[in-house]
Amino acid sequence: MLRVVVLGAAAGGGVPQWNCGCPVCRMARTEHPELQRTQASIAISADGDHWFLVNASPDLRQQLIATRQLHPRAGKLRHSPVSGVILTNGEIDAVAGLLSMREGWPFTIYAHARVLSILKANSIFNVLNARSVRRQPIEIDAAFEPTLPDGAPSGIEILPFAVPGKGAWYLEGEVHPAGASGAGDTLGLRIADKASGKFFYFLAACADVTDELKSRLAGATAIFFDGTVWRDDELIAAGLGNKTGQGMGHIAMSGDRGAITSLAGLDIGRKMFLHINNSNPVLLLHSAEREIAERAGWQIPADGTEMTL
Ligand SMILES: [Zn+2]
């Protein structure tokens, strides 16, 4: 059985974002604390005892406190059920949480060479001592099974695949430590329970739903999909920024080429948006946008949402 916990469902900045006075952030700060969400990450486990994080958000410390499955086992002086972290990109909201895991517990970081090169180029990540924290490269279209701290198999098979996206935002206009171009900046994951063969997909960033992606996702039991913005020009229209969703490597939920329309009719069991920006009105319980998304079969998960496959 594969267990999944949504540690955080929001995009970078979370809900509310520290410096944002948009309607959603204001409500989350005042009369509607249920709108609050931490930055996107999920935890997965095949045995219920050992867990792997998919991305390590800047809110990881708070997420670890809020999630009982990730607490140190009773009776142990130093312990964490976290056996590894799988990184799907090098954005701050995917890697900054690693800095909160610096207290000497052994685990493995699994990431594409392009993302590992970012960690290597930023010496602050050396705080994760190489003797206890292994960094293991993963490759596109090559399935791997993350291992437990004692080297035993985890029972989880992960297939990383390339999805349309962008390199890390803070590297825009800079030389990427792994070279100027190449696939691997944005990965989707197919995550399977080896015992049952059941699987789901994780795509927290995706700029476009290609025909290839459609055929991959068709018939899936469950997907977590990029829900950053409702409409492509949302940040500009709200006066919150000058970037489009596309400019940030994120497909919009709405519109002819948006996620809701593009992924309709594919016989996907459970569709959940993840990485939802605080500007996105779909977060509001009774908004027209929320209704459209839910009518199309999409869920807007709260932090702490659990799923078993
Ligand atoms: Zn806001």
Side-chain angles (χ1 to χ4, degrees):
M1 186 165 67
L2 197 56
R3 297 163 178 82
V4 184
V5 181
V6 175
L7 301 183
V15 187
Q17 178 178 315
W18 74 285
N19 63 343
C20 189
C22 80
V24 175
C25 287
R26 281 204 314 271
M27 275 189 248
R29 228 175 255 123
T30 54
E31 69 265 37
H32 289 291
E34 73 277 7
L35 293 176
Q36 293 184 9
R37 281 172 176 79
T38 60
Q39 294 166 83
S41 172
I42 63 170
I44 54 175
S45 175
D47 63 9
D49 289 327
H50 302 87
W51 290 80
F52 294 86
L53 311 179
V54 178
N55 294 333
S57 99
D59 298 320
L60 181 60
R61 179 178 171 279
Q62 182 185 344
Q63 294 166 341
L64 291 173
I65 292 169
T67 310
R68 61 180 163 74
Q69 294 93 329
L70 303 180
H71 293 171
R73 195 170 306 147
K76 299 230 179 185
L77 203 49
R78 281 289 166 91
H79 173 264
S80 170
V82 178
S83 296
V85 182
I86 299 112
L87 302 176
T88 62
N89 63 71
E91 292 285 3
I92 289 170
D93 57 351
V95 304
L98 292 172
L99 299 174
S100 297
M101 301 177 74
R102 64 188 182 280
E103 324 287 353
W105 179 254
F107 67 97
T108 304
I109 299 169
Y110 302 86
H112 191 274
R114 287 182 66 80
V115 174
L116 289 180
S117 74
I118 292 173
L119 302 185
K120 193 175 176 191
N122 287 273
S123 57
I124 194 168
F125 289 103
N126 292 341
V127 73
L128 298 168
N129 189 317
R131 279 195 303 274
S132 51
V133 181
R134 287 195 312 128
R135 300 182 186 188
Q136 185 169 318
I138 59 177
E139 286 174 36
I140 290 168
D141 299 328
F144 68 97
E145 181 172 3
T147 53
L148 308 185
D150 65 359
S154 62
I156 301 172
E157 184 183 82
I158 300 180
L159 175 69
F161 54 92
V163 291
K166 293 204 90 176
W169 207 359
Y170 57 86
L171 284 172
E172 230 166 65
E174 310 272 327
V175 177
H176 194 295
S181 66
D185 284 323
T186 306
L187 297 179
L189 303 176
R190 177 188 187 273
I191 300 174
D193 178 27
K194 288 193 84 169
S196 68
K198 291 186 175 167
F199 59 87
F200 71 98
Y201 285 96
F202 178 94
L203 297 96
C206 180
D208 186 30
V209 176
T210 60
D211 288 341
E212 187 193 346
L213 182 59
K214 274 189 209 178
S215 49
R216 192 189 285 276
L217 300 183
T221 307
I223 62 170
F224 289 97
F225 196 82
D226 185 345
T228 309
V229 289
W230 177 257
R231 45 182 268 200
D232 190 50
D233 64 350
E234 179 174 303
L235 291 175
I236 298 168
L240 294 170
N242 54 14
K243 294 230 176 203
T244 60
Q246 282 293 312
M248 299 184 293
H250 298 289
I251 189 174
M253 288 184 181
S254 67
D256 290 347
R257 292 189 56 82
I260 292 175
T261 299
S262 301
L263 295 171
L266 294 182
D267 189 30
I268 297 168
R270 189 170 175 184
K271 297 184 282 190
M272 282 166 282
F273 278 120
L274 200 78
H275 197 271
I276 307 168
N277 198 53
N278 56 70
S279 58
N280 192 330
V282 84
L283 286 165
L284 298 172
L285 261 183
H286 303 293
S287 64
E289 293 84 357
R290 177 68 158 257
E291 205 184 312
I292 293 168
E294 289 183 343
R295 224 186 304 126
W298 285 87
Q299 295 174 12
I300 310 299
D303 291 7
T305 297
E306 296 182 32
M307 176 178 81
T308 53
L309 288 179

